[in-house]
Amino acid sequence: MRAVVVERAGGPEVLVPTELPDPVPGPGELLVRLAVAGVNYKDVYERQAGSRATPPFVPGSEGAGTVLALGPGAEGFAVGDRVAWWAAPGSYAEQVIVPAAAAVPVPEDITAADAAAVLLQGLTAHYLTTSVHPAAKGETALVHSAAGGLGRHLTRLLTAQGVRVLATVSAPEKVEAARAAGAQEVLVRAEGGALADGGELAARVRELTDGRGVDVVYDGIGRDTFEAGLGAVRRRGLFVLVGSASGPAPALDPQSLASRGSLFLTRPTLVDYATDPDELRFRAAEVFDWLRDGRLELAVGGRYPLAEAARAHADLQSRRTTGKLLLLPS
């Protein structure tokens, strides 16, 4: 089968198309013919550090496709079923081994591309707005990277619940995408997390909230925006760190949360909110429902042949794209 491997830790150029033996499903596993693989920053981190396995390894963890075979004890699926997943290492390949417990059925009216594009970020937006901090009418939230896949989902879901969304984007050309998702105010960031117009992020947020600050911050950027985001949270508000696109957030003395206004800080991951098969399928079913009724809206930033995964990674890191990037086997 054709696949893409990380030859060594490094830049996009270390992603190399190659031929590998067809995999065989083990106990509790499905063998799936890939229809679409998703690209996200987790893949970039693993490629840069060679951290998931000793290179060479096949990157990627999300996608959709059709079941080809079942390993011993794999239950709940049959050959020919359409499935999607967010946690199957080695998804940049024509055939993927997917744990049955990590797969969700794809409804007939949802395409494989839509399932692959929505599942990871849709599940993440689901648990962030229903479990980590149930969205409530009248609140105000700060959403970073609101023109990206997760940022758009968060903005749309929060707005639908009556939350006022203040958003940041990385370039002026992304402002309209954030507004289209429902953001009421959109701030353009410069390098290092400052604002492009020379303003200071926390101060601007305070101005926009009459000095109060926001109820919750959703930050997938990390290092560049962490301190400013803490300064933008209201007394007893919540800071949700969901990623580190600019690098790891700086070290924090927990005692400082008291002096900042008795803040709450959490670093949740989908692993702890969608690993149980029943919870995973419940959340996935609601995500597909939200896609149908328009609460979630897909924005695909690019489709690339599987062999051009390096170009997809380069485009993702350049921040030239908006929405989800997909890889398609040729």
Side-chain angles (χ1 to χ4, degrees), residues 7-43:
E7 286 196 323
R8 63 187 185 283
E13 71 280 357
V14 307
L15 292 168
V16 179
T18 190
E19 289 284 336
L20 295 175
D22 290 349
V24 177
E29 294 179 337
L30 309 175
L31 175 63
V32 181
R33 179 193 299 115
L34 182 77
V36 186
V39 180
N40 68 76
Y41 255 98
K42 178 175 177 288
D43 306 342

Side-chain angles (χ1 to χ4, degrees), residues 16 37 75 155 206 218 236 266 290 294 298 320:
V16 179
E75 298 179 348
T155 300
R206 294 280 176 178
Y218 296 99
R236 290 169 26 192
T266 185
W290 292 350
L298 287 179
R320 292 191 297 265

Side-chain angles (χ1 to χ4, degrees), residues 3-320:
V4 173
V5 301
V6 174
E7 286 196 323
R8 63 187 185 283
E13 71 280 357
V14 307
L15 292 168
V16 179
T18 190
E19 289 284 336
L20 295 175
D22 290 349
V24 177
E29 294 179 337
L30 309 175
L31 175 63
V32 181
R33 179 193 299 115
L34 182 77
V36 186
V39 180
N40 68 76
Y41 255 98
K42 178 175 177 288
D43 306 342
V44 172
Y45 304 148
E46 291 178 348
R47 186 206 76 221
Q48 291 174 329
S51 60
R52 201 202 73 220
T54 301
F57 62 85
V58 179
S61 61
E62 55 177 312
T66 304
V67 176
L68 293 175
L70 286 74
E75 298 179 348
F77 297 97
V79 172
D81 285 351
R82 299 167 65 241
V83 296
W85 61 90
W86 70 271
S91 290
Y92 287 14
E94 290 180 320
Q95 296 183 22
V96 183
I97 296 294
V98 181
V104 298
V106 177
E108 291 184 2
D109 62 335
I110 303 293
T111 67
D114 284 355
V118 78
L119 191 62
L120 176 64
Q121 292 167 336
L123 288 170
T124 302
H126 187 285
Y127 87 79
L128 289 175
T129 58
T130 64
S131 298
V132 171
H133 182 76
K137 184 177 181 180
E139 289 186 330
T140 302
L142 174 62
V143 176
H144 287 300
S145 300
L150 176 59
R152 284 192 188 192
H153 290 336
L154 284 171
T155 300
R156 290 183 65 87
L157 292 177
L158 293 167
T159 301
Q161 293 297 316
V163 176
R164 179 191 181 203
V165 174
L166 312 181
T168 76
V169 295
S170 61
E173 57 268 25
K174 297 184 178 184
V175 169
E176 285 309 310
R179 289 196 185 280
Q184 292 192 12
E185 301 285 347
V186 184
L187 307 174
V188 180
R189 300 188 316 272
E191 288 295 323
L195 298 180
D197 62 7
E200 199 275 322
L201 177 60
R204 188 66 55 80
V205 170
R206 294 280 176 178
E207 290 174 8
L208 293 170
T209 56
D210 296 325
R212 178 176 181 268
V214 296
D215 297 280
V216 58
V217 170
Y218 296 99
D219 186 348
I221 299 173
R223 180 183 60 206
D224 288 354
T225 52
F226 185 70
E227 286 293 336
L230 288 172
V233 183
R234 67 163 173 84
R235 188 184 303 273
R236 290 169 26 192
L238 174 65
F239 187 107
V240 185
L241 183 64
V242 294
S244 52
S246 67
L252 177 75
D253 177 3
Q255 186 63 31
S256 69
L257 296 175
S259 61
R260 294 174 187 267
S262 300
L263 304 186
F264 294 87
L265 170 66
T266 185
R267 177 56 175 100
T269 69
L270 188 55
V271 169
D272 294 314
Y273 286 87
T275 296
D276 176 81
D278 290 337
E279 184 176 17
L280 169 61
R281 293 185 187 189
F282 156 72
R283 292 193 191 278
E286 286 213 340
V287 166
F288 291 142
D289 282 343
W290 292 350
L291 189 59
R292 291 187 186 97
D293 68 21
R295 273 177 284 182
L296 290 180
E297 185 176 90
L298 287 179
V300 175
R303 293 177 170 86
Y304 305 76
L306 181 62
E308 296 183 21
R311 182 164 64 90
H313 275 225
D315 289 348
L316 180 64
Q317 287 184 264
S318 73
R319 301 185 182 181
R320 292 191 297 265

